[in-house]
Amino acid sequence: MDDKINVSFNVEQQIDIQSLAEELKELKELKYALDKSSIVAITDAQGRITYVNELFCEIAQYSREELIGKTHRVINSGFHSKEFFKQMWSEIGKGNIWRGEIKNKKKDGSYYWVHATIVPYLNEKGKPYKYFSIRTDITKEKELEEELERSYKKYELIAEHSDNFVALVDEDGAFHYVSPTFQILLHYDLKSLEKQNVFNLIHLEDSELLKKEIQKLLNMSKGKSSRKLEFRLLHGDGRYIDVEATIKIIHNDENPLNNLVLIVMSDISVRKEVEQNLYRLAYHDSLTNFPNRPTFMNELRSYVMDVRLTNKKFSILFIDLDDFKLINEQLGHDNGDLVIVKAAENIRESIREIDLVARMGGDEFIVLLRDIKDEQDTINIVNNIIEKFQKPIVVNGKDNVLTCSIGVASYPEHGTTPEELIKNADSALTQVKQKSKNNYAVYNKKLENMSLERRIIENAMRKGLNEHQFFLEYQPKFNIHNDEIVGMEALVRWNHPDLGTIPPGKFISLAEETGLIIPLGEWILNESCKQAKEWREKGFGQLIVSVNVSVRQLQDPKFVQQVERVLKETGFNPKFLELEVTESIFADLNCITPILKRLRSLGIHISVDDFGTGYSSLSYIKHLPIDALKVDASFVKDIHKNEESKAIVRAIINLAETIGLKVIAEGIEIEEQVRALRNDGCIFGQGYFYSRPLRKEAFEEYIRSKGFITSRNIV
């Protein structure tokens, strides 16, 4: 019996020893893992170190002998306050586990961060008698955190001192960040704003567009996640401002569902206002606020295309104020302008709401009478206008008698194209003016298609081209800041053997109507290139020669080949050739733009002549393949004394600088205009103040006598 008990006891004892051995092995493995991954230290109740592991010594750079018996003050960095350690000791002194981040100092004076867990060991009375601390090195994480904090403060500083409004939102528009500019410039409370949604700040008509653009960007590949957009943003005072926004996706590679949208907005309200003013100036007459000629022509062309699909009729009225020149001479130009305004009111009040009236210039108006039943319907409205003018126009308390003459042409009886109808209405008006005035005339097909003078000039032009009656004059272009000559504009002249010198105004428009501008234009281009090359070889410098080109030439399918042929035959370098086109090209941009691009691809410069008087639009200009804008002489003539002209020129210069174009002022006649243009930032100009157009020999003598040093180029 005793032997059985002993055997049983021995077996149980052997099992206990084996179990203890296994537990001891697990503890050793746990200690090994802990020593390799964590900084371990044990202190007594007074905080004296009684044990440190190898990793503690390695990171702190102290030997075990240097640490045992010391307190943790040996690695104190001085970063934390006394209150920090007081609270820590208070917590572990109560027997509670403490966790936190501590900045320590190595033996070499450098610093490191640890995340510490301190576990109190309690005696039978529940009081701590030693402390076991496990620390993890988090130095890299803290350095990254500090770097991010510095970056955030840096970018926050940039955002605060920028005029841009920066917002970080999620896909649904909830704010994750708003820049201080929302408070500084838009007067929002940032804390309240951060709780809102960006779409609540966007104008209702624009918010859907912004949502769609964000969705498009989110669906795009990572490298193409940026877009520009304009919309209206709500100001803190309740009004809307125009902004241009750059929208970019901030990708979250770990979780694409958490992608954010960065929206950087800039206030473009001033630019929009300038655009609207330029639009008004470009498309409307500033005196009457009626549409101008180019606007009217656009409307008429569209209307003609529409009525061709129907049986509708319409009429064109060409109106001229009788003897208005006398009123201007008697009352002065300022009061004459008031008379024009009153006359415009008379016309507007005499026609219907559906009709369109425009000021053609000077004392001429044109009216489109839409949806006319018959000729009598037109005559009734014409009589209304004439009757309205029978009453005196009162200006400054004085009565002024002013009548008008009207020429009428109706579609389709008197023409089927806008140009034909206007020409025939003008012919009918001429018949009235030659007779009694204060009346009207309907175009008569039996009337001669053109006056005797026009027929003589057309026939003479054809002969003149063959007999070399045309010649060129050159007007110098200058850098108005240093008086250096930079180029010249080639201007065609006609010396008829019987009629004498015929001004360009008499034959250029006729050449365009008859198609003679095609051979005439080729001759002008050829002569200009030959002459410019000759002057270059004589050492006149890198002068750029400018040649005027009409829309009719640009519409010629062989025009580009014609230019290439001239350049090849003359051997002229295209980079010293500039083609000047008028604003009328904007009426047919779809056709003209590719032609201008082909010309520029040859190295030729393109400028827009008479800018500001016709079709100009910012939305077109910034996309056109052009290099320069020529400010029309009508704005330059009174820039030194007329604030409106000065504002228009300044706006054109600012626009050109914004989109990288040069500006040339034409029609400079006096020094005051030069000073005004210089002050507004204009660099280049031409006009009689510098020189009238000169023939070849006179141009050469002019340069030699003035001793000009030619500038390199202007475009």
Side-chain angles (χ1 to χ4, degrees):
M1 181 70 177
D2 291 337
D3 291 339
K4 290 181 180 180
I5 293 172
N6 287 334
V7 170
S8 176
F9 176 77
N10 289 335
V11 170
E12 290 177 359
Q13 188 177 35
Q14 188 174 0
I15 291 171
D16 288 343
I17 291 171
Q18 185 178 354
S19 176
L20 287 171
E22 289 176 355
E23 289 181 6
L24 184 61
K25 181 183 178 183
E26 289 179 2
L27 286 172
K28 286 181 178 179
E29 290 174 349
L30 181 63
K31 180 178 181 299
Y32 177 80
L34 193 62
D35 281 340
K36 292 297 180 183
S37 61
S38 300
I39 303 167
V40 180
I42 300 175
T43 61
D44 60 19
Q46 285 72 42
R48 290 186 292 269
I49 299 172
T50 60
Y51 170 82
V52 291
N53 68 348
E54 294 274 349
L55 192 56
F56 191 120
C57 297
E58 180 184 334
I59 291 178
Q61 299 176 347
Y62 286 100
S63 66
R64 189 174 274 105
E65 290 73 19
E66 290 176 305
L67 293 171
I68 300 298
K70 303 288 195 326
T71 67
H72 277 79
R73 289 192 184 94
V74 71
I75 57 172
N76 191 331
S77 66
F79 178 80
H80 304 283
S81 65
K82 291 181 179 180
E83 186 64 27
F84 173 83
F85 291 110
K86 184 177 179 181
Q87 289 178 356
M88 181 190 75
W89 277 104
S90 173
E91 192 68 20
I92 60 178
K94 296 175 184 177
N96 298 324
I97 297 173
W98 183 88
R99 294 181 178 84
E101 295 177 354
I102 303 174
K103 185 176 184 179
N104 292 328
K105 183 168 70 172
K106 299 180 183 181
K107 188 175 182 179
D108 65 3
S110 61
Y111 298 96
Y112 66 101
W113 279 88
V114 295
H115 183 278
T117 300
I118 303 177
V119 181
Y121 281 69
L122 308 179
N123 59 23
E124 63 277 2
K125 295 181 180 181
K127 298 291 186 181
Y129 67 93
K130 65 179 178 180
Y131 301 97
F132 187 85
S133 67
I134 302 172
R135 300 177 176 89
T136 305
D137 188 353
I138 59 169
T139 304
K140 291 183 178 179
E141 290 87 340
K142 292 297 290 185
E143 288 176 349
L144 179 60
E145 184 181 310
E146 289 172 359
E147 178 62 27
L148 288 172
E149 179 67 22
R150 285 193 296 271
S151 296
Y152 176 81
K153 288 182 178 179
K154 179 173 66 177
Y155 292 123
E156 186 177 47
L157 185 66
I158 293 172
E160 183 175 347
H161 290 84
S162 168
D163 290 336
N164 291 336
F165 311 113
V166 183
L168 198 61
V169 303
D170 59 26
E171 182 179 347
D172 297 322
F175 284 114
H176 286 246
Y177 170 79
V178 289
S179 64
T181 44
F182 277 89
Q183 181 173 7
I184 298 169
L185 300 177
L186 298 183
H187 306 153
Y188 279 106
D189 178 74
L190 292 184
K191 290 184 178 179
S192 300
L193 185 61
E194 287 172 349
K195 299 175 183 177
Q196 295 188 39
N197 188 294
V198 69
F199 297 119
N200 295 336
L201 304 186
I202 310 301
H203 194 283
L204 189 61
E205 296 175 1
D206 301 335
S207 60
E208 197 60 36
L209 177 62
L210 178 59
K211 290 178 183 178
K212 289 180 180 178
E213 290 298 324
I214 289 175
Q215 285 303 317
K216 286 180 184 177
L217 287 173
L218 289 168
N219 295 330
M220 283 183 179
S221 59
K222 189 173 180 180
K224 299 180 180 179
S225 51
S226 180
R227 191 72 66 91
K228 280 190 180 293
L229 187 67
E230 291 183 7
F231 52 78
R232 287 162 288 180
L233 180 69
L234 184 64
H235 193 284
D237 61 12
R239 60 190 170 90
Y240 283 93
I241 63 170
D242 290 293
V243 297
E244 182 179 69
T246 299
I247 307 168
K248 185 176 178 62
I249 302 301
I250 307 300
H251 291 275
N252 186 328
D253 294 330
E254 295 181 0
N255 186 0
L257 293 177
N258 291 335
N259 287 342
L260 294 176
V261 183
L262 177 67
I263 308 176
V264 181
M265 296 160 277
S266 57
D267 188 348
I268 57 170
S269 300
V270 174
R271 193 186 84 189
K272 283 289 186 180
E273 186 178 349
V274 171
E275 284 185 14
Q276 290 169 3
N277 288 338
L278 281 177
Y279 179 89
R280 181 179 58 82
L281 291 168
Y283 286 91
H284 290 78
D285 172 57
S286 59
L287 188 59
T288 63
N289 206 32
F290 280 176
N292 58 17
R293 181 189 181 101
T295 306
F296 180 85
M297 292 302 296
N298 277 345
E299 289 286 339
L300 180 57
R301 288 189 182 100
S302 297
Y303 189 69
V304 169
M305 292 180 68
D306 291 340
V307 298
R308 281 175 180 168
L309 303 175
T310 68
N311 293 321
K312 290 183 178 180
K313 298 182 177 182
F314 66 88
S315 295
I316 296 295
L317 311 183
F318 211 127
I319 305 173
D320 183 84
L321 305 182
D322 298 331
D323 301 320
F324 179 74
K325 183 179 179 181
L326 295 177
I327 290 180
N328 252 343
E329 292 174 354
Q330 294 169 1
L331 303 181
H333 288 283
D334 290 341
N335 287 327
D337 287 346
L338 295 177
V339 173
I340 289 287
V341 172
K342 294 287 186 179
E345 292 174 1
N346 281 350
I347 298 171
R348 179 71 264 179
E349 292 171 3
S350 303
I351 60 179
R352 304 163 302 172
E353 285 294 326
I354 64 170
D355 301 326
L356 176 68
V357 57
R359 186 184 179 200
M360 298 294 276
D363 58 356
E364 292 181 336
F365 297 85
I366 192 164
V367 178
L368 165 61
L369 299 180
R370 293 185 170 100
D371 199 10
I372 292 297
K373 296 176 184 177
D374 51 35
E375 185 175 294
Q376 189 56 49
D377 202 8
T378 298
I379 299 306
N380 290 339
I381 297 174
V382 169
N383 283 328
N384 288 341
I385 298 173
I386 292 175
E387 184 179 346
K388 192 77 174 177
F389 275 87
Q390 302 312 303
K391 297 179 182 178
I393 291 178
V394 180
V395 174
N396 294 329
K398 295 182 179 180
D399 290 349
N400 297 274
V401 177
L402 180 68
T403 59
C404 69
S405 299
I406 304 174
V408 181
S410 297
Y411 175 92
E413 296 91 334
H414 305 142
T416 56
T417 67
E419 291 76 14
E420 188 179 9
L421 287 163
I422 291 175
K423 179 173 71 70
N424 292 341
D426 190 17
S427 295
L429 175 63
T430 301
Q431 299 302 313
V432 181
K433 301 291 284 186
Q434 289 175 349
K435 296 179 181 178
S436 59
K437 299 183 182 179
N438 189 26
N439 205 340
Y440 73 90
V442 178
Y443 176 73
N444 187 337
K445 291 182 181 180
K446 294 180 181 179
L447 293 175
E448 295 184 44
N449 290 328
M450 60 178 64
S451 67
L452 177 61
E453 182 187 19
R454 285 170 64 88
R455 289 204 308 274
I456 292 173
I457 291 176
E458 181 183 359
N459 293 331
M461 278 186 69
R462 297 182 188 278
K463 187 177 180 181
L465 280 169
N466 296 324
E467 296 181 356
H468 308 294
Q469 296 173 6
F470 294 91
F471 64 94
L472 295 180
E473 290 185 336
Y474 300 89
Q475 185 172 44
K477 293 182 180 180
F478 287 82
N479 181 321
I480 64 175
H481 289 265
N482 58 22
D483 286 340
E484 289 183 1
I485 183 170
V486 295
M488 59 280 179
E489 181 178 1
L491 300 166
V492 66
R493 300 291 186 257
W494 184 10
N495 187 21
H496 191 274
D498 299 320
L499 301 175
T501 301
I502 301 176
K506 285 282 187 180
F507 65 86
I508 291 295
S509 59
L510 182 60
E512 291 178 354
E513 291 175 17
T514 59
L516 288 172
I517 194 68
I518 303 299
L520 177 62
E522 182 176 7
W523 177 85
I524 294 170
L525 181 63
N526 189 73
E527 287 297 306
S528 300
C529 291
K530 283 198 300 186
Q531 184 59 71
K533 185 185 179 186
E534 178 184 328
W535 281 335
R536 181 167 171 75
E537 291 171 350
K538 285 183 176 181
F540 278 48
Q542 299 181 7
L543 296 178
I544 289 181
V545 62
S546 301
V547 178
N548 291 281
V549 176
S550 72
V551 174
R552 182 70 180 269
Q553 289 174 269
L554 291 171
Q555 290 173 337
D556 181 10
K558 297 180 180 179
F559 178 70
V560 177
Q561 291 92 322
Q562 182 187 99
V563 173
E564 290 174 327
R565 184 174 64 254
V566 168
L567 291 172
K568 183 178 180 180
E569 290 175 356
T570 60
F572 189 59
N573 190 333
K575 75 176 184 178
F576 299 114
L577 174 62
E578 180 185 52
L579 298 182
E580 294 188 9
V581 298
T582 62
E583 283 188 292
S584 55
I585 63 168
F586 294 110
D588 193 15
L589 278 178
N590 291 334
C591 294
I592 299 299
T593 300
I595 297 169
L596 296 182
K597 287 182 178 178
R598 288 179 63 190
L599 291 169
R600 285 190 86 211
S601 70
L602 299 175
I604 297 169
H605 308 292
I606 307 293
S607 66
V608 178
D609 199 8
D610 302 327
F611 183 77
T613 61
Y615 293 82
S616 313
S617 170
L618 289 181
S619 61
Y620 294 151
I621 285 291
K622 62 184 179 183
H623 298 302
L624 268 181
I626 60 174
D627 305 283
L629 303 177
K630 293 192 72 175
V631 180
D632 186 71
S634 62
F635 299 129
V636 175
K637 68 177 182 180
D638 59 355
I639 189 175
H640 57 295
K641 60 183 180 180
N642 186 307
E643 288 300 317
E644 183 177 352
S645 294
K646 191 177 184 66
I648 292 170
V649 173
R650 189 182 296 118
I652 293 173
I653 293 171
N654 291 338
L655 161 66
E657 289 179 348
T658 301
I659 57 181
L661 301 180
K662 305 291 184 184
V663 174
I664 307 164
E666 53 185 349
I668 301 174
E669 296 182 352
I670 56 176
E671 189 172 356
E672 288 82 356
Q673 294 167 348
V674 177
R675 285 199 294 267
L677 288 165
R678 285 174 182 164
N679 293 336
D680 286 338
C682 183
I683 299 177
F684 305 106
Q686 67 185 97
Y688 275 55
F689 174 78
Y690 293 102
S691 172
R692 62 179 179 81
L694 303 168
R695 298 192 71 161
K696 171 189 172 181
E697 297 78 12
F699 185 86
E700 293 178 2
E701 182 60 29
Y702 177 80
I703 293 181
R704 293 191 184 101
S705 65
K706 296 293 183 181
F708 285 116
I709 301 173
T710 57
S711 180
R712 291 185 178 179
N713 54 55
I714 63 171
V715 286

